[in-house]
Amino acid sequence: MGTAVLLAAAPAGRGRAMDAASVLPVLAAVPPAVLTGTATATVVELADPLDPQTVLTRLRAVAASPGPLVVFLAGQLHLDKRQFLPHLALARTTAATLRYTALPWHWLAGELGRRPAGTTTVVADLAADPDVWQRLTAAPDLLHLGPGTHLYGRVTPAPRRGEPATPDYLRAWAELWRAGARPPLPAMHAEACLRASAARATAPEEILLTPAPVVVPAPAAPAQAAPVAAAAAVVQDPHPAILAAAMAGRHGEAAAMAAAWESEALRRHGPRSAEAVHWTEVRADLARLAGDSARSCELWLAAAEFRLALRQQADDPDVEAAVDRAHHQWERIDDRARAAALGPALVALRERVPGRRPGALDALRRRMG
């Protein structure tokens, strides 16, 4: 049995920089077992808690429970000016009372660090005050939770004025799961980052948090092999590097990395494999980020066809999502000739996969004339 903790915290009043609790309903709507990736699970919800000792007590209790533990955390970080340590602000936190009313980040690290390695995951959507943000840009490991805890997250600067930030990154995790997606956590992180960025009118300034890549030494080379071969290593999880390149505007580099991993998936698993179709979908989303709607549409069409060839049903959420995204990108194509060329394939797919948008096929036919 697994345990999921839903912790959303932010100060009341003018000090609120993130509407953290707004993500709790959508997270709570995900089946508990999906949140933890286990057959059964329990959920502990902490909405705008008042006292750090109360939060510590709850964390200590869940950390002592056996089985996987996943902590979903939304909130804002402030820096203790005396010890220069980050704290998670709670409902009563003010600048003057930070040391007594906020949760020290190292308390969280201490409780989770006692658990067996590999059994704990934290998914965090955080807004950082200027002091924390400055320290994070210089020392990205400021929020490190220890070698045994996997931390996925996004940190953005706290808005200085206007509306509080929204936890779009955590919301994207919940929406992906509710749509039926079940990719590995690194792929969930990459997709959630893409969706959270797309939800903003301008490209957000952000720091992405991911576990250190797992380096697997290659098998011992024969005596006659070159020394370089004997020292080779394979770095798993390329998604963060690909995403970082795309978010930095290096779209060609991101596409080339994804294409290389797709080629490797094709070589190892064959064209009719879940691994191959995953990389086709990654390339489709990279094309969207690069502003190439026609190419994105083309790749989503291919992904949908691949999934159907894998004998997934027309009402499978992954199939529907691929067709919906192909349709959405087709509507954004400026080149009429490209749109006309892709239209018939999209219509044929829509006839097989009508999706859950009423009238989508009729609307497509009308637009094609």
Side-chain angles (χ1 to χ4, degrees):
M1 173 181 283
T3 304
V5 176
L6 314 182
L7 172 55
R14 293 183 179 180
R16 177 159 296 200
M18 174 180 276
D19 185 11
S22 65
V23 78
L24 289 179
V26 67
L27 277 172
V30 179
V34 175
L35 292 173
T36 60
T38 55
T40 59
T42 59
V43 176
V44 176
E45 183 173 313
L46 297 170
D48 280 328
L50 302 175
D51 177 58
Q53 289 292 340
T54 301
V55 178
L56 178 63
T57 300
R58 300 297 296 275
L59 286 173
R60 185 166 293 164
V62 297
S65 62
L69 171 64
V70 185
V71 179
F72 297 90
L73 176 60
Q76 55 194 74
L77 296 173
H78 296 263
L79 194 70
D80 168 17
K81 300 295 182 63
R82 182 174 297 181
Q83 296 180 315
F84 299 101
L85 295 173
H87 286 57
L88 180 72
L90 303 182
R92 292 178 178 168
T93 300
T94 66
T97 65
L98 176 70
R99 296 190 67 211
Y100 312 103
T101 60
L103 180 74
W105 189 263
H106 61 273
W107 285 11
L108 178 66
E111 294 305 320
L112 300 183
R114 298 187 178 97
R115 291 175 51 79
T119 63
T120 311
T121 301
V122 175
V123 184
D125 200 339
L126 302 165
D129 77 359
D131 293 318
V132 173
W133 182 257
Q134 183 178 11
R135 290 181 69 83
L136 263 178
T137 55
D141 62 347
L142 181 67
L143 302 181
H144 185 55
L145 292 173
T149 301
H150 296 153
L151 173 62
Y152 296 93
R154 183 185 74 149
V155 186
T156 57
R160 294 174 182 251
R161 62 182 67 86
E163 292 296 319
T166 54
D168 298 321
Y169 167 78
L170 264 184
R171 182 179 294 275
W173 278 73
E175 290 175 346
L176 283 163
W177 273 328
R178 292 179 67 188
R182 302 292 185 271
L185 295 187
M188 282 286 290
H189 166 73
E191 177 66 16
C193 289
L194 293 172
R195 292 190 175 207
S197 298
R200 300 278 290 273
T202 57
E205 192 176 8
E206 60 186 14
I207 293 172
L208 304 181
L209 308 172
T210 58
V214 178
V215 180
V216 181
Q224 67 271 22
V228 173
V234 178
V235 179
Q236 297 178 348
D237 184 16
H239 297 86
I242 293 171
L243 175 64
M247 299 306 293
R250 304 193 307 273
H251 299 295
E253 178 185 338
M257 286 191 288
W261 280 93
E262 183 181 38
S263 297
E264 179 65 11
L266 288 168
R267 184 184 68 81
R268 295 182 63 183
H269 305 285
R272 293 196 173 189
S273 64
E275 291 81 3
V277 72
H278 166 73
W279 285 107
T280 299
E281 292 176 340
V282 170
R283 291 173 57 218
D285 221 25
L286 290 174
R288 174 186 67 81
L289 285 176
D292 190 346
S293 295
R295 181 58 175 158
S296 182
C297 173
E298 190 174 49
L299 287 166
W300 280 119
L301 289 172
E305 292 287 3
F306 288 156
R307 289 194 175 278
L308 290 169
L310 290 171
R311 297 188 178 181
Q312 290 183 249
Q313 299 300 309
D315 60 353
D316 185 291
D318 289 334
V319 176
E320 291 183 335
V323 177
D324 286 345
R325 290 173 181 177
H327 192 161
H328 178 69
Q329 290 301 306
W330 182 82
E331 292 176 339
R332 299 173 67 88
I333 298 174
D334 294 326
D335 187 333
R336 292 186 177 182
R338 292 288 303 278
L342 291 169
L346 180 56
V347 169
L349 259 180
R350 266 291 178 221
E351 289 173 343
R352 299 165 64 191
V353 186
R356 304 184 188 188
R357 295 165 53 189
L361 178 58
D362 291 339
L364 175 61
R365 286 171 170 160
R366 285 195 302 271
R367 185 157 182 173
M368 289 189 62

